[in-house]
């Protein structure tokens, strides 16, 4: 007989259906939620920085247009504007993208190492099978010659 203690959340004690999940499952879900929350926070921060840089560049360009319009209205020569590049998309590559790339590389290395180990084990087992096949053939031949002698 298997006995376990089951904890029921009193807030939802009357709700159905219920499900029992191991502590390991709950901890894995908690870890995943924490990781995803961190990634969302990083993306929100990246989005805010991206919006800020874009807004600054847009404001600077509007100011340059306004100044240009004033100069042209007063009859002055057209000015060549100062480059107003504050928004650089490459500066806002999400950290999660690089995290994913790093994780893929780690997993690939791990799996490659496992594959090499399994290939080595497979080769060892093939050699062992070949040796055992030779031994079985030898034993069968011995039994066959003994059977002929009798």
């Amino acid at each position: 007989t298997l006995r376990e203690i089951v904890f029921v959340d009193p807030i939802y004690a009357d709700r159905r259906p219920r499900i029992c999940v191991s502590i390991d499952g709950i901890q894995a879900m908690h870890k995943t939620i924490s990781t995803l929350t961190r990634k969302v926070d990083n993306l929100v921060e990246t989005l805010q920085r991206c919006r800020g840089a874009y807004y600054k560049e847009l404001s600077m360009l509007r100011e340059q247009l306004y100044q240009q319009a004033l100069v042209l209205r007063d009859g002055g020569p057209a000015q060549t504007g100062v480059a107003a590049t504050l928004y650089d998309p490459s500066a806002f590559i999400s950290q999660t993208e690089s995290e994913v790339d790093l994780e893929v590389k780690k997993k690939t290395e791990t799996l490659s190492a496992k594959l090499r180990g399994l290939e080595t084990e497979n080769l060892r087992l093939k050699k062992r099978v070949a040796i055992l096949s030779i031994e079985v053939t030898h034993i069968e031949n011995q039994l066959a010659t003994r059977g002929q002698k009798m």
Side-chain angles (χ1 to χ4, degrees):
T1 302
L2 178 66
R3 295 182 65 173
E4 292 186 56
I5 297 173
V6 178
F7 296 95
V8 178
D9 186 352
I11 296 172
Y12 300 107
D14 59 337
R15 302 285 305 269
R16 300 289 188 272
R18 294 185 191 178
I19 185 170
C20 289
V21 181
S22 70
I23 294 292
D24 292 339
I26 297 294
Q27 289 172 339
M29 285 189 295
H30 185 274
K31 181 179 177 186
T32 302
I33 289 168
S34 296
T35 301
L36 291 174
T37 300
R38 182 179 46 82
K39 288 181 180 184
V40 166
D41 290 344
N42 288 340
L43 288 172
V44 166
E45 181 183 330
T46 300
L47 183 60
Q48 288 173 342
R49 288 187 295 127
C50 185
R51 284 177 175 160
Y54 181 75
Y55 177 74
K56 286 177 185 177
E57 182 174 334
L58 193 60
S59 296
M60 188 178 288
L61 289 170
R62 284 181 180 161
E63 180 63 24
Q64 285 180 3
L65 285 174
Y66 176 73
Q67 294 298 326
Q68 184 79 15
L70 289 177
V71 168
L72 291 175
R73 187 186 70 190
D74 295 338
Q79 296 177 344
T80 54
V82 179
T85 307
L86 297 174
Y87 176 75
D88 180 15
S90 64
F92 298 103
I93 294 175
S94 79
Q95 293 173 343
T96 56
E97 185 178 328
S98 59
E99 288 175 359
V100 167
D101 288 343
L102 183 62
E103 190 67 25
V104 166
K105 286 178 185 175
K106 285 181 184 177
K107 295 290 183 184
T108 301
E109 290 172 3
T110 302
L111 290 174
S112 294
K114 283 183 180 179
L115 180 61
R116 286 190 297 274
L118 290 172
E119 287 172 341
T120 303
E121 179 68 10
N122 189 24
L123 183 61
R124 186 188 69 76
L125 290 173
K126 282 181 179 180
K127 288 178 183 177
R128 183 70 181 140
V129 166
I131 292 169
L132 290 174
S133 295
I134 293 170
E135 289 178 4
V136 166
T137 304
H138 181 68
I139 291 171
E140 286 175 344
N141 289 341
Q142 285 180 347
L143 289 175
T145 54
R146 283 185 189 164
Q148 290 175 354
K149 289 182 182 179
M150 290 187 185

